[in-house]
Each structure stands twice: as C-alpha cells, then as structure tokens.
Amino acid sequence: MVLQRVLIFSGGLAGAAGVGLSAAAAHAGGANTGTAASFLLAHAALLVAVGLLPWNAVLRIGALIVLAGLVFFAGNLLMRDFAGTRLFPMAAPSGGMLMIAGWLVVGVGGLMATRAERNLP
C-alpha cells in the first residue's frame, strides 16, 4: 500500500516537474532542461499506472528501477543547466541504463500477470 502511494506521488511529481521544466526550457532555453522535462513527462504516466494496478511485485520493482534512473538522468541534466556541474560522473548514462532495465522489468511483469490482473475492466 505504501509503495503504491509512493509510485503515484512520484508520478504526479514527475508530471508536474515536467510541465514546469517544459515552460522553463521554452522561455529560458536550455536543451538539457527540455530533455529532462520530456523524460519526466514520458515516465510520469508509467509510475502512476503501475501504482494504480493491482499488486504485482515485478511491475512495482520495474517502476522503482525506472524512478531511480529518472532521478539520475534528469537530475544530471538539470544540474548541468542550473549548477554548471554534474550530479556525479556517469549519472546520465547510468540513469538511462536503469530506465531501460526498468522498462524491461515492467514488460516481464506484464507477462507474469495473473489471469485476474489480465482481465481488468
């Protein structure tokens, strides 16, 4: 139950940050800010959707891996634009690899869904 709320909250936060950063990129420029905004918006839906689905541990683990990757990737891009430094060496590539891995785990979780989970209205 707590993990469900964390995923939904994180998805809402990512969506809000994505919209705000899209506006910042449009008005103040910053290619890294625009890229971070796009990634936040694209992954917000995944986090909310997995949080709303019936319990499936594999899906939730995949979503958490995506969330960690999103923090590293977007965080590094935003640090470059706003602080002129990196989050840590290889943060963006590490985050990207985590997002890819997380999406693959989510896909596997979908294959492992129970019959009741597959017959959702």
Side-chain angles (χ1 to χ4, degrees), residues 25-42:
H27 294 287
N32 288 333
T33 299
T35 301
S38 296
F39 272 79
L40 286 163
L41 287 169

Side-chain angles (χ1 to χ4, degrees), residues 5-116:
R5 289 192 307 254
V6 167
L7 289 173
I8 294 169
F9 174 77
S10 298
L13 189 60
V19 171
L21 290 169
S22 292
H27 294 287
N32 288 333
T33 299
T35 301
S38 296
F39 272 79
L40 286 163
L41 287 169
H43 292 84
L46 168 78
L47 298 171
V48 171
V50 171
L52 291 174
L53 287 173
W55 178 257
N56 179 320
V58 178
L59 283 175
R60 302 270 165 91
I61 290 167
L64 288 174
I65 294 169
V66 168
L67 178 58
L70 188 59
V71 169
F72 290 163
F73 184 82
N76 189 64
L77 294 179
L78 294 171
M79 285 288 289
R80 286 181 174 189
D81 270 1
F82 293 108
T85 186
R86 292 186 283 183
L87 190 58
F88 60 85
M90 299 298 289
S94 299
M97 293 302 293
L98 282 170
M99 286 187 286
I100 292 168
W103 274 102
L104 291 172
V105 172
V106 167
V108 169
L111 291 174
M112 296 174 65
T114 65
R115 180 177 303 264

